Amino acid sequence: MDLVTIGESMLRFMPPVGSTLEAADRFLVVLAGAESNVAIGVQRLGMAAGWVSKLPQNALGRKALNAVRAHGVDVSRVVLAPRGRMGLYFTELPGPPRPVGVVYDRHDSCFSTLEPAEVDWDYVRRASILHLTGITPALGAGCRRVVHRALEVAKGAGLLTTFDVNFRSRLWTAGEAGEVLGRLLPGVDVLIAAAEDVQAVFGLDGAPAEVAAALQSEFKNRVVVLTLGDKGALGREGTEVVHEPAVPGVAVDPIGRGDAFVAGFIFGYIAAGLKRGLAYGSAMASLKQTYVGDVAWCTAEDVGRVAGGDVNALRR
Amino acid sequence: MDLVTIGESMLRFMPPVGSTLEAADRFLVVLAGAESNVAIGVQRLGMAAGWVSKLPQNALGRKALNAVRAHGVDVSRVVLAPRGRMGLYFTELPGPPRPVGVVYDRHDSCFSTLEPAEVDWDYVRRASILHLTGITPALGAGCRRVVHRALEVAKGAGLLTTFDVNFRSRLWTAGEAGEVLGRLLPGVDVLIAAAEDVQAVFGLDGAPAEVAAALQSEFKNRVVVLTLGDKGALGREGTEVVHEPAVPGVAVDPIGRGDAFVAGFIFGYIAAGLKRGLAYGSAMASLKQTYVGDVAWCTAEDVGRVAGGDVNALRR
Amino acid sequence: MDLVTIGESMLRFMPPVGSTLEAADRFLVVLAGAESNVAIGVQRLGMAAGWVSKLPQNALGRKALNAVRAHGVDVSRVVLAPRGRMGLYFTELPGPPRPVGVVYDRHDSCFSTLEPAEVDWDYVRRASILHLTGITPALGAGCRRVVHRALEVAKGAGLLTTFDVNFRSRLWTAGEAGEVLGRLLPGVDVLIAAAEDVQAVFGLDGAPAEVAAALQSEFKNRVVVLTLGDKGALGREGTEVVHEPAVPGVAVDPIGRGDAFVAGFIFGYIAAGLKRGLAYGSAMASLKQTYVGDVAWCTAEDVGRVAGGDVNALRR
Amino acid sequence: MDLVTIGESMLRFMPPVGSTLEAADRFLVVLAGAESNVAIGVQRLGMAAGWVSKLPQNALGRKALNAVRAHGVDVSRVVLAPRGRMGLYFTELPGPPRPVGVVYDRHDSCFSTLEPAEVDWDYVRRASILHLTGITPALGAGCRRVVHRALEVAKGAGLLTTFDVNFRSRLWTAGEAGEVLGRLLPGVDVLIAAAEDVQAVFGLDGAPAEVAAALQSEFKNRVVVLTLGDKGALGREGTEVVHEPAVPGVAVDPIGRGDAFVAGFIFGYIAAGLKRGLAYGSAMASLKQTYVGDVAWCTAEDVGRVAGGDVNALRR
Amino acid sequence: MDLVTIGESMLRFMPPVGSTLEAADRFLVVLAGAESNVAIGVQRLGMAAGWVSKLPQNALGRKALNAVRAHGVDVSRVVLAPRGRMGLYFTELPGPPRPVGVVYDRHDSCFSTLEPAEVDWDYVRRASILHLTGITPALGAGCRRVVHRALEVAKGAGLLTTFDVNFRSRLWTAGEAGEVLGRLLPGVDVLIAAAEDVQAVFGLDGAPAEVAAALQSEFKNRVVVLTLGDKGALGREGTEVVHEPAVPGVAVDPIGRGDAFVAGFIFGYIAAGLKRGLAYGSAMASLKQTYVGDVAWCTAEDVGRVAGGDVNALRR
Amino acid sequence: MDLVTIGESMLRFMPPVGSTLEAADRFLVVLAGAESNVAIGVQRLGMAAGWVSKLPQNALGRKALNAVRAHGVDVSRVVLAPRGRMGLYFTELPGPPRPVGVVYDRHDSCFSTLEPAEVDWDYVRRASILHLTGITPALGAGCRRVVHRALEVAKGAGLLTTFDVNFRSRLWTAGEAGEVLGRLLPGVDVLIAAAEDVQAVFGLDGAPAEVAAALQSEFKNRVVVLTLGDKGALGREGTEVVHEPAVPGVAVDPIGRGDAFVAGFIFGYIAAGLKRGLAYGSAMASLKQTYVGDVAWCTAEDVGRVAGGDVNALRR
């Protein structure tokens, strides 16, 4: 396994274009989940990914499982619980000036009851990379323990650890996030965060290069990557700093863009270092927005056409 | 107001015909809820109905509210709560031999937190009929208190009370139901129940006429109506017993059939007595099955064409 | 041209299966019109048909024109009027016991203003068969003049004339129909009617064979065909009487069944006489019901598979 | 009732995006009507609105009625006529350079037969605001009498009157409109018009502020509001002149934009005066364009997010 | 791996219900393929299945791959070829009397170029069961060699071999099939065939029990299973003969029914012998018909509810 | 007949907007084919067009035939072959940066077997214009012979010949195209080509006016038209050179834009010379992009509104 990740996936419901959650009598249903998005993303680029999660053993749980498995991601360690509910959420994605409409309904989900004892840690140890996000520790005490344990296991087994801060203000306050993440991030190898999340959670403001340096100094990460929205992304590895502009495009569905960036970054970084990582991350993020749903359906060839370079050669 | 009812409504999600909850990427969304089904049913037949409920003040709550209000039902006493979730459920309705597939997700719904203090009891008092079901007391302690209080208020104000047993084994056991309903039903004017629910909850088995008599003797109801599936329905008022056969038809969506029966029964019974009540109940139940969704979209004219008689004259 | 027909076509709107005109937010739109149904039917079986009509020169008129033309029917003599409206109607086609729901909106249609001077009578003269229906004379005085003139022209030019009574009680009373049709039908070569229309319009009741004989005696038709619903059809030519049972099948959309019968009958009768005409008519009628919309999309091969016989050989 | 309005609603049919009225075999059906759009708009913002109209008592009439009622607008004074037809129209809304395609079919609609005797004038008297448009007097002599009478009643009962010129060149000429409106507008409190309609109907051209002054001088209105397309809107109250720029956005369906402006304006003007009225009008107009169909599904919160200010506070 | 199978999958296109391939402007696309149907079927019942195939490395090939993989079937040995086309076919599935409409377009498919050297025979050896069908040898010389080799490998490694005759008259004549299958079937452990195929290919007619005995005598199979359409299925193992009636149901899409039978049979036979095999086969066949598409989406629980018995217990 | 053209049409399959060929379970099906696009285009503008082609006599062939015939194009000379397959292709048309996705599946199509003996050359001779493209000679030896013969026939009968280079790199190399077209183009009256195709096939680069002059000098064409993408089009007739800018617009589906240009050009050129030809070509090309599918559904009125001028007058 090249990459293992642990996290919740949900079902996301959407009305037809131009309609609303209130008005529509039909909803599109798509898979949603930062970690499964990353697993699917790197798998489609040619890596072997495993996704560890917990789902209810009913039609909705199988729906989510199938949606991840269809791309080839290994789901053999997903816990299927005899009871519990899927996390759900409902979005409408209009053009301006209408605000994005969201109704969250993920409380008390099956995944939020996950405990370290339910995870096959040997499976995790056999991977090369462990990817985690700041969403999981916000879901409950058991989930927090899982993240702690996962980082320990990864360090013990010599995995590269990647961590996407992904601050969710609906799940916890910036203060809580700062406290918990402040204990988790030290020693993470690759720290990825939106600049605005860094400001909210850690109070770090200013020029991106300085923020990256401050984070790196604080948490001792090998690499820090800041995503800057339509200003692209900036990475710092050791003392090297690289800025990559955003790839312009037409956004049909922006949700999952950040996860697509992470998948592209990990793939490119592993294969060819920081600069290629940022370039592939930016390409993936822009490509993702052309797809309805969270998943970036693009292939390595598509990324190569956008970012340049022979992606297949890297895959080897 | 001719009829007031109190109860929860949910959103029901369905895959396209021939597909499954697991497979489909689009769901149809319809309003679901025994009490709102009855309110809509009698309103469409020409009565004035009010529906008392509690919904979250978000797009999904408004969706449910609009769906009831569109038919003309008065929703002015629905409590819109700043937080809380909609009850949801997911169904697939295949032909045989595939079993009906259901995933319930109504736990911790906004409605389940309803308390008597949130209900406008004067509004209830001004109605002629109060309709309740055995679902509401199964949803929680507050809901149980609401049902108790509603029956007291109705008796005090001289309303006709109708009660549909509607036993839901996913919400409580037959034992719990029997105990709680045993305290609620005495004195209800019109008791309606599926024969199989009566057997499960009260252990009353045997010929329908005898079961009806036993119930009437036990709970002192003016009228007892037993629905018998494809064997029709049987009513007992005083010592008069009437049996009405089922109206044959093609079932596109059987959910809500029982509520349609209740609506037809109440309308017919009020206008023209037991026999007409059963006839209109059976007609409505069969008509309902031709509609996708819980709601019986038929008009009084449609019911008249199926059951005979000048429905509009009754309406006067 | 093997067959020319003159008549109105409309657009028919339908909600999705299980929904209603009142509830649905999407309608399917199909071509509707007895005469264009017959023209399309015989054209698809291998005859060359021409359809004379009048349509508004706007997107809806072009929609109807394209729908007829797509099958190869010659529409070169359709009058495109700079103003006027399409006739419309709205149907829902539920299973029992829900009655078929219809809202007509064909009043003041563009076609209803058609006058004999707008028809290319030479075009009519060059055909072998003229097909008319009892709908056209019900649409207005000009339309009635067109039908009169058409029958005169056909007789003068030696065409075989076929006439489908098609009584529409929403357009005129049985009395009006009887009076007008009583003047039109004498001398029509092939008279086709539903037995129930014959009863309503001409007061002829009783055994089908006797009714057919009575009509034939009254109007001097070479052939009289009575359609008997699920009892099939009966034809009388000279003194020969043939009964053909209905072809059982599953009805998805019964509208246009009678027109499909007529198309099958004409094709079979011309090629191989009365018995084959009735057999192909029954096959087409049953096949039609499997298609959504008025049009019988079947081919001669399909009819042959249902009715037996080498349809292509007949085509020659 | 905060606001009463009188006017016709129609059903609007639309092909799928990228298709055409001529090509599509499915149409989306939405409610259309300037006055019901305004009633729904102010109701959704928190006012209580009543809509007076006339609809055929069939499935299409009920469809329109439900669509208005679903939002909570009071429809208790809508006349349901046993016969008559719904006004219909068909639109395609392509991107440039393809022109918007429209087929009108509203002639002889049920509403166009409305007479003053059918309106419950006491109901009108009990409202605070009467809103009318220049469409209604164009629909026929009875409708014109209704508008005259409505303005008299409103003045007599002290209602604030608002009037949207809404010149429709398909219904009458600019000359006719100018003559009729010239008799109706004097004394209207709030006159709203598109600058281009003012030029067409009243021949008033030039700088918007001067046009507004000229109108105000001519018709003695308390407030004159000119909408200027993508240049925003200008209001004049007494001698105060306020200009509000348009709110940029993505237009999915521009139809109903003007009505949304009116709803936002009335709500804001009543609550907080001219400037807030123009700001909320512009916000609503831009929001509307993000919804398919005539209706602005936004809430007061959405308007507040676009226009700023605490909308809920105003609502009180 | 419990079961390995080798075969072609195609994409199947279908018009909406009631429409036709000729008329529809939208097609539903589903996975089709006898062997992948069986692999998915047994995997969903709890076995571990692997599917060996060859697909073009393009969006359509990935579509088929994902569709199989989504259910958990191992696709790691599917060959992705840089060029070649997907096999396609188009079906309409009307009710009677309209014949099923099919347009095949599978000629020169990518799979038809498969050669033994492209198959990982060690992977096959590691399974417990090898399932093949009579379709594969009809697809070309290379495919025929693959089937020969597969049976040799399976025998050498001690796998149970199951073979479904599946005669396809569009691919080869009965004579060719008889000759080729006559060389392949001797020594197959479990031979499954439709009785009508046995008659067509081997000329064996008569009572099913005798036909089964004759096949068994001819080909020395441990088990022979004859499917008899709506008369159920008959199995013969050694000298034991068991007949299982068909499970009645509503057929939405009959395609894949035979493959579902095979999957149910293999699962039941392995777990609990001939009788249970036939019972589960019949249940699966009937369940399958309730799903649109080839795949039987049912679970072991669903099969247990239809056929009786504790399916999960068997699974162990 | 004003214009005859000979060429292949295919069916094009498309996923819903925002989805992908890999992900979607429903495809839209549209007619595709450069020559039928041109025939439909000029027919809709008011010319009489005939399309000569070869299609399989099955539901897919009829589908294509109907799609062309629906617009009024004469298809009486299309050869319906008892066997053979439709050419197919699959496209997804995302916004940037996602590349357009295409899977071609037109190999061995029925049309590619067309031979000169199957064409009714007298039919061709009776037309005024013959339109051909560089696609047909790329489809096979027989097709190449058809094109040669068609040009000979046209010259012999005095038709105006128009030829669109339409280089398809998937069908042949630039070298092959250059050699074959180099023999076909001399003497063609109107040569139309994308500037980039001219560079690829003939190696002619530089300022468009010079490239046009070089082509004209090489092939002795009366008119040369170069299309320049968003830079519009340039035409040279004799020594007159006209440049027409592109008409800006929103592109929903760019496929068929070039064919729409050709149709607009031919119509305008015939009616009013080079300048009007380029203007109508540019208008049609831009209009086309607003329609899903290859066909430009616009009318002469639509083109007139975009390009100016009284199109109907020209039509006379």
Side-chain angles (χ1 to χ4, degrees), chain B residues 52-69:
Chain B
V52 176
S53 193
K54 187 171 179 182
L55 291 169
Q57 200 164 22
N58 61 25
L60 301 187
R62 285 196 301 273
K63 184 184 211 66
L65 194 73
N66 297 352
V68 178
R69 187 159 55 183

Coordinates of all heavy atoms in Angstrom, one line a residue, chain B residues 52-69:
Chain B
V52 N -50.2 20.7 13.3 CA -49.3 21.2 14.3 C -48.1 20.3 14.4 O -48.3 19.1 14.5 CB -50.0 21.2 15.7 CG1 -49.1 21.7 16.8 CG2 -51.3 22.1 15.7
S53 N -46.9 20.9 14.2 CA -45.7 20.1 14.2 C -44.5 21.0 14.6 O -44.7 22.1 15.1 CB -45.6 19.6 12.8 OG -44.6 18.6 12.8
K54 N -43.4 20.4 14.5 CA -42.1 21.1 14.8 C -41.1 20.8 13.8 O -40.8 19.6 13.5 CB -41.7 20.7 16.2 CG -40.5 21.6 16.7 CD -40.2 21.3 18.2 CE -39.0 22.1 18.7 NZ -38.7 21.7 20.1
L55 N -40.5 21.8 13.2 CA -39.6 21.6 12.1 C -38.3 22.4 12.3 O -38.4 23.5 12.9 CB -40.2 22.0 10.7 CG -41.4 21.1 10.2 CD1 -42.0 21.8 9.0 CD2 -40.8 19.8 9.8
P56 N -37.2 22.0 11.8 CA -36.0 22.9 11.9 C -36.1 24.0 10.9 O -36.7 23.9 9.8 CB -34.9 21.9 11.4 CG -35.5 20.9 10.6 CD -36.9 20.7 11.2
Q57 N -35.7 25.2 11.3 CA -35.8 26.4 10.4 C -34.6 26.4 9.4 O -33.7 27.3 9.5 CB -35.7 27.6 11.3 CG -36.3 28.9 10.7 CD -36.6 29.9 11.7 OE1 -36.0 29.9 12.7 NE2 -37.4 30.9 11.3
N58 N -34.6 25.4 8.5 CA -33.6 25.4 7.5 C -34.3 25.0 6.2 O -35.6 24.8 6.2 CB -32.5 24.5 7.8 CG -32.9 23.0 8.0 OD1 -33.9 22.6 7.5 ND2 -32.1 22.3 8.8
A59 N -33.6 24.8 5.1 CA -34.2 24.5 3.8 C -35.0 23.2 3.9 O -36.0 23.1 3.2 CB -33.1 24.4 2.8
L60 N -34.6 22.2 4.6 CA -35.3 21.0 4.7 C -36.6 21.2 5.4 O -37.7 20.6 5.1 CB -34.5 19.9 5.3 CG -33.2 19.6 4.5 CD1 -32.5 18.3 5.1 CD2 -33.4 19.4 3.0
G61 N -36.6 21.9 6.5 CA -37.8 22.2 7.3 C -38.8 23.0 6.4 O -40.0 22.7 6.4
R62 N -38.3 24.0 5.7 CA -39.2 24.8 4.8 C -39.8 23.9 3.7 O -40.9 24.1 3.3 CB -38.4 25.9 4.2 CG -38.2 27.1 5.2 CD -37.8 28.4 4.5 NE -36.6 28.2 3.7 CZ -35.3 28.4 4.2 NH1 -35.1 28.7 5.4 NH2 -34.3 28.3 3.4
K63 N -38.9 23.0 3.3 CA -39.4 22.0 2.2 C -40.6 21.3 2.7 O -41.6 21.2 2.0 CB -38.3 21.1 1.9 CG -38.5 20.1 0.8 CD -37.3 19.2 0.7 CE -37.1 18.7 -0.7 NZ -36.7 19.8 -1.6
A64 N -40.5 20.7 3.9 CA -41.7 20.0 4.4 C -42.9 20.9 4.7 O -44.0 20.6 4.4 CB -41.3 19.3 5.7
L65 N -42.6 22.1 5.2 CA -43.7 23.0 5.5 C -44.4 23.4 4.2 O -45.6 23.4 4.1 CB -43.1 24.3 6.1 CG -44.1 25.2 6.8 CD1 -44.6 24.6 8.1 CD2 -43.5 26.6 7.0
N66 N -43.6 23.7 3.2 CA -44.3 24.1 1.9 C -45.1 23.0 1.3 O -46.2 23.2 0.8 CB -43.2 24.4 0.8 CG -42.3 25.6 1.2 OD1 -42.6 26.3 2.2 ND2 -41.3 25.8 0.4
A67 N -44.6 21.7 1.5 CA -45.3 20.6 0.9 C -46.7 20.4 1.5 O -47.6 20.0 0.9 CB -44.5 19.3 1.1
V68 N -46.8 20.7 2.8 CA -48.1 20.6 3.5 C -49.0 21.8 3.1 O -50.1 21.7 2.8 CB -47.9 20.5 5.0 CG1 -49.3 20.4 5.7 CG2 -47.1 19.3 5.4
R69 N -48.4 23.0 3.2 CA -49.1 24.2 2.9 C -49.6 24.3 1.5 O -50.7 25.0 1.3 CB -48.1 25.4 3.2 CG -48.7 26.7 3.2 CD -47.8 27.7 4.0 NE -46.4 27.7 3.5 CZ -45.4 28.4 4.1 NH1 -45.7 29.2 5.2 NH2 -44.2 28.4 3.6

